[in-house]
Amino acid sequence: MYHRKDSNRSESNHDESDQACIAIRDVLDRIGDKWSSLVIAELGPGTRRFNELRREVDGISQRMLTVTLRHLERDGLVSRRVYAQIPPRVEYTLTELGESVLKVVTEIVQWSLDHAWDLHRARADFDRSSAAHDHRSPTLAHGEYRVS
C-alpha cells in the first residue's frame, strides 16, 4: 500500500513507500505518456492493424506509433501478431493486462475531452492573474525571501 513519508515512520516503511512511489511513477509514465492512452483506447473495441491505428490516432507519426506499440508490448499491455503474407499483415490487440487498464484509460481520455476547455480557461485565468501580480512585485525563486 502507498503511504506518504513522514519522520515518524520506520526505515522499512520508508523503503516500502519508496518502492510504491517508483512502481506508481513507472506505470503512470507508461499510460500517461503522450500517445499510450490514445493507442490503448483505440485498441479497446478490438484488434487493429498498424495503419488503422495510425489513421485513428490523430497526429501520431509512423515512428512514434511503432515506438509506442513496442513499449506497450514490452509492458505486456498489447500483443502483436504478424501474418506471413505479402505484404506482411501485423495486428495489435490488448492483452488481459491491457484490458484491465482500459476502463481507467478510457475514463481519463473522456474526462480530457469533456474538460479540455475548462483547463484552457483556468490556465488563461491563472496566467492573467499571475501577470497582474508579477507586475506589482517580482516573483521570487522557491525558498527566497524578500528583505525590506
Side-chain angles (χ1 to χ4, degrees):
M1 178 182 258
Y2 173 73
H3 296 283
R4 260 182 100 155
K5 283 187 179 182
D6 64 39
S7 58
N8 296 326
R9 293 197 181 270
S10 70
E11 189 62 37
S12 66
N13 283 342
H14 284 295
D15 291 344
E16 202 174 287
S17 180
D18 289 346
Q19 290 173 353
C21 287
I22 291 168
I24 292 165
R25 279 195 320 263
D26 187 47
V27 169
L28 292 177
D29 283 347
R30 171 60 52 237
I31 65 171
D33 73 17
K34 186 172 181 178
W35 300 109
S36 292
S37 292
L38 296 173
V39 170
I40 290 169
E42 278 304 319
L43 289 171
T47 300
R48 295 274 204 269
R49 292 177 71 172
F50 183 89
N51 284 328
E52 288 178 296
L53 286 169
R54 188 158 176 227
R55 279 192 300 273
E56 295 300 319
V57 180
D58 188 38
I60 195 168
S61 68
Q62 180 173 337
R63 181 185 182 293
M64 199 65 238
L65 179 56
T66 299
V67 168
T68 300
L69 287 165
R70 283 186 184 153
H71 287 158
L72 293 171
E73 184 179 9
R74 180 175 182 250
D75 288 343
L77 299 171
V78 168
S79 66
R80 177 178 184 260
R81 183 167 180 183
V82 180
Y83 294 88
Q85 62 186 51
I86 298 180
R89 188 174 94 200
V90 181
E91 294 180 340
Y92 297 90
T93 307
L94 289 177
T95 62
E96 189 175 322
L97 186 60
E99 291 280 346
S100 73
V101 77
L102 178 62
K103 182 179 180 200
V104 173
V105 167
T106 302
E107 288 175 0
I108 290 170
V109 168
Q110 188 59 55
W111 186 92
S112 300
L113 293 170
D114 293 345
H115 296 285
W117 178 247
D118 298 327
L119 291 172
H120 176 75
R121 188 175 44 238
R123 288 174 185 156
D125 291 347
F126 179 88
D127 292 346
R128 274 192 304 278
S129 173
S130 291
H133 175 71
D134 290 346
H135 179 70
R136 291 188 304 264
S137 63
T139 302
L140 299 174
H142 178 70
E144 291 182 354
Y145 298 95
R146 183 178 314 280
V147 179
S148 298

PDB file of all heavy atoms in Angstrom, residues 21-49:
ATOM      1  N   CYS A  21       6.203   4.314  -4.641  1.00  0.00           N
ATOM      2  CA  CYS A  21       6.307   5.519  -5.485  1.00  0.00           C
ATOM      3  C   CYS A  21       6.945   5.195  -6.826  1.00  0.00           C
ATOM      4  O   CYS A  21       6.493   5.676  -7.871  1.00  0.00           O
ATOM      5  CB  CYS A  21       7.105   6.609  -4.779  1.00  0.00           C
ATOM      6  SG  CYS A  21       6.222   7.392  -3.428  1.00  0.00           S
ATOM      7  N   ILE A  22       7.987   4.391  -6.803  1.00  0.00           N
ATOM      8  CA  ILE A  22       8.660   4.006  -8.037  1.00  0.00           C
ATOM      9  C   ILE A  22       7.707   3.234  -8.938  1.00  0.00           C
ATOM     10  O   ILE A  22       7.624   3.489 -10.145  1.00  0.00           O
ATOM     11  CB  ILE A  22       9.938   3.193  -7.730  1.00  0.00           C
ATOM     12  CG1 ILE A  22      10.989   4.107  -7.095  1.00  0.00           C
ATOM     13  CG2 ILE A  22      10.482   2.524  -8.987  1.00  0.00           C
ATOM     14  CD1 ILE A  22      12.163   3.362  -6.482  1.00  0.00           C
ATOM     15  N   ALA A  23       6.971   2.291  -8.360  1.00  0.00           N
ATOM     16  CA  ALA A  23       6.022   1.489  -9.144  1.00  0.00           C
ATOM     17  C   ALA A  23       4.922   2.372  -9.743  1.00  0.00           C
ATOM     18  O   ALA A  23       4.571   2.227 -10.918  1.00  0.00           O
ATOM     19  CB  ALA A  23       5.405   0.397  -8.272  1.00  0.00           C
ATOM     20  N   ILE A  24       4.401   3.282  -8.946  1.00  0.00           N
ATOM     21  CA  ILE A  24       3.332   4.169  -9.423  1.00  0.00           C
ATOM     22  C   ILE A  24       3.847   5.062 -10.543  1.00  0.00           C
ATOM     23  O   ILE A  24       3.205   5.201 -11.588  1.00  0.00           O
ATOM     24  CB  ILE A  24       2.765   5.003  -8.260  1.00  0.00           C
ATOM     25  CG1 ILE A  24       2.008   4.090  -7.288  1.00  0.00           C
ATOM     26  CG2 ILE A  24       1.856   6.121  -8.781  1.00  0.00           C
ATOM     27  CD1 ILE A  24       1.712   4.725  -5.941  1.00  0.00           C
ATOM     28  N   ARG A  25       5.014   5.651 -10.349  1.00  0.00           N
ATOM     29  CA  ARG A  25       5.592   6.516 -11.393  1.00  0.00           C
ATOM     30  C   ARG A  25       5.839   5.735 -12.670  1.00  0.00           C
ATOM     31  O   ARG A  25       5.600   6.234 -13.775  1.00  0.00           O
ATOM     32  CB  ARG A  25       6.903   7.146 -10.910  1.00  0.00           C
ATOM     33  CG  ARG A  25       6.697   8.358 -10.043  1.00  0.00           C
ATOM     34  CD  ARG A  25       7.985   9.165  -9.881  1.00  0.00           C
ATOM     35  NE  ARG A  25       9.186   8.360  -9.717  1.00  0.00           N
ATOM     36  CZ  ARG A  25       9.752   8.064  -8.550  1.00  0.00           C
ATOM     37  NH1 ARG A  25       9.214   8.484  -7.423  1.00  0.00           N
ATOM     38  NH2 ARG A  25      10.849   7.340  -8.498  1.00  0.00           N
ATOM     39  N   ASP A  26       6.324   4.507 -12.539  1.00  0.00           N
ATOM     40  CA  ASP A  26       6.608   3.675 -13.699  1.00  0.00           C
ATOM     41  C   ASP A  26       5.347   3.425 -14.520  1.00  0.00           C
ATOM     42  O   ASP A  26       5.345   3.571 -15.739  1.00  0.00           O
ATOM     43  CB  ASP A  26       7.243   2.357 -13.249  1.00  0.00           C
ATOM     44  CG  ASP A  26       7.715   1.507 -14.403  1.00  0.00           C
ATOM     45  OD1 ASP A  26       8.380   2.050 -15.311  1.00  0.00           O
ATOM     46  OD2 ASP A  26       7.421   0.295 -14.404  1.00  0.00           O
ATOM     47  N   VAL A  27       4.269   3.077 -13.857  1.00  0.00           N
ATOM     48  CA  VAL A  27       3.005   2.813 -14.557  1.00  0.00           C
ATOM     49  C   VAL A  27       2.452   4.096 -15.159  1.00  0.00           C
ATOM     50  O   VAL A  27       2.036   4.121 -16.328  1.00  0.00           O
ATOM     51  CB  VAL A  27       1.973   2.164 -13.603  1.00  0.00           C
ATOM     52  CG1 VAL A  27       0.596   2.128 -14.240  1.00  0.00           C
ATOM     53  CG2 VAL A  27       2.430   0.766 -13.211  1.00  0.00           C
ATOM     54  N   LEU A  28       2.453   5.178 -14.380  1.00  0.00           N
ATOM     55  CA  LEU A  28       1.918   6.440 -14.900  1.00  0.00           C
ATOM     56  C   LEU A  28       2.762   6.993 -16.040  1.00  0.00           C
ATOM     57  O   LEU A  28       2.224   7.610 -16.966  1.00  0.00           O
ATOM     58  CB  LEU A  28       1.772   7.466 -13.780  1.00  0.00           C
ATOM     59  CG  LEU A  28       0.699   7.137 -12.755  1.00  0.00           C
ATOM     60  CD1 LEU A  28       0.679   8.190 -11.650  1.00  0.00           C
ATOM     61  CD2 LEU A  28      -0.671   6.985 -13.390  1.00  0.00           C
ATOM     62  N   ASP A  29       4.069   6.754 -15.997  1.00  0.00           N
ATOM     63  CA  ASP A  29       4.920   7.157 -17.120  1.00  0.00           C
ATOM     64  C   ASP A  29       4.491   6.449 -18.401  1.00  0.00           C
ATOM     65  O   ASP A  29       4.516   7.033 -19.479  1.00  0.00           O
ATOM     66  CB  ASP A  29       6.393   6.857 -16.841  1.00  0.00           C
ATOM     67  CG  ASP A  29       7.037   7.852 -15.902  1.00  0.00           C
ATOM     68  OD1 ASP A  29       6.441   8.920 -15.634  1.00  0.00           O
ATOM     69  OD2 ASP A  29       8.151   7.552 -15.417  1.00  0.00           O
ATOM     70  N   ARG A  30       4.101   5.198 -18.300  1.00  0.00           N
ATOM     71  CA  ARG A  30       3.691   4.449 -19.489  1.00  0.00           C
ATOM     72  C   ARG A  30       2.311   4.879 -19.972  1.00  0.00           C
ATOM     73  O   ARG A  30       2.144   5.303 -21.092  1.00  0.00           O
ATOM     74  CB  ARG A  30       3.696   2.936 -19.203  1.00  0.00           C
ATOM     75  CG  ARG A  30       3.085   2.089 -20.314  1.00  0.00           C
ATOM     76  CD  ARG A  30       3.775   2.209 -21.683  1.00  0.00           C
ATOM     77  NE  ARG A  30       5.180   1.979 -21.520  1.00  0.00           N
ATOM     78  CZ  ARG A  30       6.145   2.846 -21.882  1.00  0.00           C
ATOM     79  NH1 ARG A  30       5.846   3.972 -22.468  1.00  0.00           N
ATOM     80  NH2 ARG A  30       7.407   2.574 -21.673  1.00  0.00           N
ATOM     81  N   ILE A  31       1.307   4.779 -19.119  1.00  0.00           N
ATOM     82  CA  ILE A  31      -0.046   5.059 -19.607  1.00  0.00           C
ATOM     83  C   ILE A  31      -0.324   6.552 -19.704  1.00  0.00           C
ATOM     84  O   ILE A  31      -1.270   6.955 -20.367  1.00  0.00           O
ATOM     85  CB  ILE A  31      -1.144   4.353 -18.781  1.00  0.00           C
ATOM     86  CG1 ILE A  31      -1.184   4.869 -17.350  1.00  0.00           C
ATOM     87  CG2 ILE A  31      -0.984   2.852 -18.858  1.00  0.00           C
ATOM     88  CD1 ILE A  31      -2.362   4.389 -16.556  1.00  0.00           C
ATOM     89  N   GLY A  32       0.530   7.364 -19.077  1.00  0.00           N
ATOM     90  CA  GLY A  32       0.309   8.805 -19.106  1.00  0.00           C
ATOM     91  C   GLY A  32       1.160   9.534 -20.120  1.00  0.00           C
ATOM     92  O   GLY A  32       1.123  10.758 -20.178  1.00  0.00           O
ATOM     93  N   ASP A  33       1.924   8.794 -20.938  1.00  0.00           N
ATOM     94  CA  ASP A  33       2.724   9.497 -21.933  1.00  0.00           C
ATOM     95  C   ASP A  33       1.811  10.047 -23.029  1.00  0.00           C
ATOM     96  O   ASP A  33       0.600   9.851 -23.007  1.00  0.00           O
ATOM     97  CB  ASP A  33       3.867   8.626 -22.477  1.00  0.00           C
ATOM     98  CG  ASP A  33       3.410   7.512 -23.409  1.00  0.00           C
ATOM     99  OD1 ASP A  33       2.277   7.550 -23.927  1.00  0.00           O
ATOM    100  OD2 ASP A  33       4.204   6.581 -23.625  1.00  0.00           O
ATOM    101  N   LYS A  34       2.394  10.737 -23.956  1.00  0.00           N
ATOM    102  CA  LYS A  34       1.609  11.471 -24.954  1.00  0.00           C
ATOM    103  C   LYS A  34       0.700  10.568 -25.795  1.00  0.00           C
ATOM    104  O   LYS A  34      -0.395  10.975 -26.159  1.00  0.00           O
ATOM    105  CB  LYS A  34       2.560  12.255 -25.867  1.00  0.00           C
ATOM    106  CG  LYS A  34       1.858  13.155 -26.843  1.00  0.00           C
ATOM    107  CD  LYS A  34       2.840  14.041 -27.571  1.00  0.00           C
ATOM    108  CE  LYS A  34       2.125  14.967 -28.529  1.00  0.00           C
ATOM    109  NZ  LYS A  34       3.061  15.868 -29.201  1.00  0.00           N
ATOM    110  N   TRP A  35       1.127   9.345 -26.089  1.00  0.00           N
ATOM    111  CA  TRP A  35       0.390   8.527 -27.053  1.00  0.00           C
ATOM    112  C   TRP A  35      -0.208   7.248 -26.494  1.00  0.00           C
ATOM    113  O   TRP A  35      -1.185   6.739 -27.060  1.00  0.00           O
ATOM    114  CB  TRP A  35       1.309   8.178 -28.225  1.00  0.00           C
ATOM    115  CG  TRP A  35       1.809   9.390 -28.944  1.00  0.00           C
ATOM    116  CD1 TRP A  35       3.087   9.871 -28.928  1.00  0.00           C
ATOM    117  CD2 TRP A  35       1.051  10.298 -29.741  1.00  0.00           C
ATOM    118  NE1 TRP A  35       3.165  11.006 -29.680  1.00  0.00           N
ATOM    119  CE2 TRP A  35       1.935  11.300 -30.199  1.00  0.00           C
ATOM    120  CE3 TRP A  35      -0.291  10.363 -30.115  1.00  0.00           C
ATOM    121  CZ2 TRP A  35       1.523  12.345 -31.011  1.00  0.00           C
ATOM    122  CZ3 TRP A  35      -0.698  11.409 -30.928  1.00  0.00           C
ATOM    123  CH2 TRP A  35       0.209  12.378 -31.366  1.00  0.00           C
ATOM    124  N   SER A  36       0.339   6.685 -25.447  1.00  0.00           N
ATOM    125  CA  SER A  36      -0.088   5.354 -24.994  1.00  0.00           C
ATOM    126  C   SER A  36      -1.566   5.273 -24.659  1.00  0.00           C
ATOM    127  O   SER A  36      -2.241   4.308 -25.044  1.00  0.00           O
ATOM    128  CB  SER A  36       0.743   4.903 -23.790  1.00  0.00           C
ATOM    129  OG  SER A  36       2.067   4.663 -24.180  1.00  0.00           O
ATOM    130  N   SER A  37      -2.089   6.264 -23.951  1.00  0.00           N
ATOM    131  CA  SER A  37      -3.513   6.230 -23.583  1.00  0.00           C
ATOM    132  C   SER A  37      -4.402   6.215 -24.817  1.00  0.00           C
ATOM    133  O   SER A  37      -5.404   5.496 -24.863  1.00  0.00           O
ATOM    134  CB  SER A  37      -3.875   7.431 -22.710  1.00  0.00           C
ATOM    135  OG  SER A  37      -3.247   7.327 -21.464  1.00  0.00           O
ATOM    136  N   LEU A  38      -4.027   7.001 -25.817  1.00  0.00           N
ATOM    137  CA  LEU A  38      -4.828   7.045 -27.042  1.00  0.00           C
ATOM    138  C   LEU A  38      -4.769   5.720 -27.795  1.00  0.00           C
ATOM    139  O   LEU A  38      -5.789   5.248 -28.317  1.00  0.00           O
ATOM    140  CB  LEU A  38      -4.371   8.200 -27.932  1.00  0.00           C
ATOM    141  CG  LEU A  38      -4.565   9.585 -27.328  1.00  0.00           C
ATOM    142  CD1 LEU A  38      -3.922  10.651 -28.208  1.00  0.00           C
ATOM    143  CD2 LEU A  38      -6.031   9.891 -27.118  1.00  0.00           C
ATOM    144  N   VAL A  39      -3.596   5.104 -27.834  1.00  0.00           N
ATOM    145  CA  VAL A  39      -3.459   3.806 -28.504  1.00  0.00           C
ATOM    146  C   VAL A  39      -4.247   2.739 -27.745  1.00  0.00           C
ATOM    147  O   VAL A  39      -4.983   1.955 -28.350  1.00  0.00           O
ATOM    148  CB  VAL A  39      -1.972   3.409 -28.653  1.00  0.00           C
ATOM    149  CG1 VAL A  39      -1.832   1.969 -29.130  1.00  0.00           C
ATOM    150  CG2 VAL A  39      -1.262   4.371 -29.605  1.00  0.00           C
ATOM    151  N   ILE A  40      -4.127   2.728 -26.428  1.00  0.00           N
ATOM    152  CA  ILE A  40      -4.888   1.759 -25.624  1.00  0.00           C
ATOM    153  C   ILE A  40      -6.382   1.946 -25.857  1.00  0.00           C
ATOM    154  O   ILE A  40      -7.121   0.980 -26.059  1.00  0.00           O
ATOM    155  CB  ILE A  40      -4.537   1.889 -24.127  1.00  0.00           C
ATOM    156  CG1 ILE A  40      -3.109   1.399 -23.881  1.00  0.00           C
ATOM    157  CG2 ILE A  40      -5.527   1.118 -23.253  1.00  0.00           C
ATOM    158  CD1 ILE A  40      -2.556   1.730 -22.498  1.00  0.00           C
ATOM    159  N   ALA A  41      -6.853   3.187 -25.842  1.00  0.00           N
ATOM    160  CA  ALA A  41      -8.280   3.461 -26.065  1.00  0.00           C
ATOM    161  C   ALA A  41      -8.717   2.994 -27.448  1.00  0.00           C
ATOM    162  O   ALA A  41      -9.808   2.436 -27.601  1.00  0.00           O
ATOM    163  CB  ALA A  41      -8.561   4.951 -25.881  1.00  0.00           C
ATOM    164  N   GLU A  42      -7.880   3.190 -28.457  1.00  0.00           N
ATOM    165  CA  GLU A  42      -8.224   2.741 -29.812  1.00  0.00           C
ATOM    166  C   GLU A  42      -8.279   1.231 -29.927  1.00  0.00           C
ATOM    167  O   GLU A  42      -9.024   0.696 -30.739  1.00  0.00           O
ATOM    168  CB  GLU A  42      -7.221   3.293 -30.835  1.00  0.00           C
ATOM    169  CG  GLU A  42      -7.495   4.692 -31.282  1.00  0.00           C
ATOM    170  CD  GLU A  42      -8.888   4.884 -31.871  1.00  0.00           C
ATOM    171  OE1 GLU A  42      -9.380   4.012 -32.625  1.00  0.00           O
ATOM    172  OE2 GLU A  42      -9.490   5.918 -31.570  1.00  0.00           O
ATOM    173  N   LEU A  43      -7.474   0.546 -29.131  1.00  0.00           N
ATOM    174  CA  LEU A  43      -7.482  -0.915 -29.155  1.00  0.00           C
ATOM    175  C   LEU A  43      -8.615  -1.500 -28.311  1.00  0.00           C
ATOM    176  O   LEU A  43      -8.863  -2.701 -28.363  1.00  0.00           O
ATOM    177  CB  LEU A  43      -6.133  -1.468 -28.682  1.00  0.00           C
ATOM    178  CG  LEU A  43      -4.969  -1.272 -29.655  1.00  0.00           C
ATOM    179  CD1 LEU A  43      -3.655  -1.648 -28.989  1.00  0.00           C
ATOM    180  CD2 LEU A  43      -5.187  -2.088 -30.926  1.00  0.00           C
ATOM    181  N   GLY A  44      -9.286  -0.650 -27.539  1.00  0.00           N
ATOM    182  CA  GLY A  44     -10.370  -1.118 -26.675  1.00  0.00           C
ATOM    183  C   GLY A  44     -11.443  -1.915 -27.390  1.00  0.00           C
ATOM    184  O   GLY A  44     -11.828  -2.999 -26.936  1.00  0.00           O
ATOM    185  N   PRO A  45     -11.960  -1.420 -28.513  1.00  0.00           N
ATOM    186  CA  PRO A  45     -13.010  -2.163 -29.215  1.00  0.00           C
ATOM    187  C   PRO A  45     -12.543  -3.473 -29.841  1.00  0.00           C
ATOM    188  O   PRO A  45     -13.361  -4.326 -30.170  1.00  0.00           O
ATOM    189  CB  PRO A  45     -13.463  -1.196 -30.312  1.00  0.00           C
ATOM    190  CG  PRO A  45     -13.023   0.152 -29.859  1.00  0.00           C
ATOM    191  CD  PRO A  45     -11.777  -0.082 -29.075  1.00  0.00           C
ATOM    192  N   GLY A  46     -11.250  -3.639 -30.030  1.00  0.00           N
ATOM    193  CA  GLY A  46     -10.761  -4.891 -30.612  1.00  0.00           C
ATOM    194  C   GLY A  46      -9.470  -4.716 -31.376  1.00  0.00           C
ATOM    195  O   GLY A  46      -8.857  -3.650 -31.385  1.00  0.00           O
ATOM    196  N   THR A  47      -9.084  -5.785 -32.031  1.00  0.00           N
ATOM    197  CA  THR A  47      -7.830  -5.856 -32.782  1.00  0.00           C
ATOM    198  C   THR A  47      -7.797  -4.806 -33.883  1.00  0.00           C
ATOM    199  O   THR A  47      -8.801  -4.546 -34.544  1.00  0.00           O
ATOM    200  CB  THR A  47      -7.684  -7.264 -33.388  1.00  0.00           C
ATOM    201  OG1 THR A  47      -7.685  -8.209 -32.313  1.00  0.00           O
ATOM    202  CG2 THR A  47      -6.412  -7.410 -34.197  1.00  0.00           C
ATOM    203  N   ARG A  48      -6.610  -4.214 -34.045  1.00  0.00           N
ATOM    204  CA  ARG A  48      -6.416  -3.209 -35.098  1.00  0.00           C
ATOM    205  C   ARG A  48      -5.103  -3.484 -35.815  1.00  0.00           C
ATOM    206  O   ARG A  48      -4.142  -3.960 -35.227  1.00  0.00           O
ATOM    207  CB  ARG A  48      -6.326  -1.796 -34.505  1.00  0.00           C
ATOM    208  CG  ARG A  48      -7.561  -1.293 -33.853  1.00  0.00           C
ATOM    209  CD  ARG A  48      -8.465  -0.660 -34.908  1.00  0.00           C
ATOM    210  NE  ARG A  48      -9.354   0.311 -34.318  1.00  0.00           N
ATOM    211  CZ  ARG A  48     -10.558   0.033 -33.867  1.00  0.00           C
ATOM    212  NH1 ARG A  48     -11.011  -1.181 -33.933  1.00  0.00           N
ATOM    213  NH2 ARG A  48     -11.306   0.984 -33.363  1.00  0.00           N
ATOM    214  N   ARG A  49      -5.089  -3.135 -37.082  1.00  0.00           N
ATOM    215  CA  ARG A  49      -3.856  -3.184 -37.852  1.00  0.00           C
ATOM    216  C   ARG A  49      -3.110  -1.875 -37.640  1.00  0.00           C
ATOM    217  O   ARG A  49      -3.688  -0.871 -37.233  1.00  0.00           O
ATOM    218  CB  ARG A  49      -4.169  -3.412 -39.326  1.00  0.00           C
ATOM    219  CG  ARG A  49      -4.739  -4.808 -39.553  1.00  0.00           C
ATOM    220  CD  ARG A  49      -5.116  -5.044 -40.978  1.00  0.00           C
ATOM    221  NE  ARG A  49      -3.914  -5.149 -41.808  1.00  0.00           N
ATOM    222  CZ  ARG A  49      -3.938  -5.510 -43.078  1.00  0.00           C
ATOM    223  NH1 ARG A  49      -5.087  -5.809 -43.665  1.00  0.00           N
ATOM    224  NH2 ARG A  49      -2.830  -5.569 -43.773  1.00  0.00           N
TER     225      ARG A  49
END
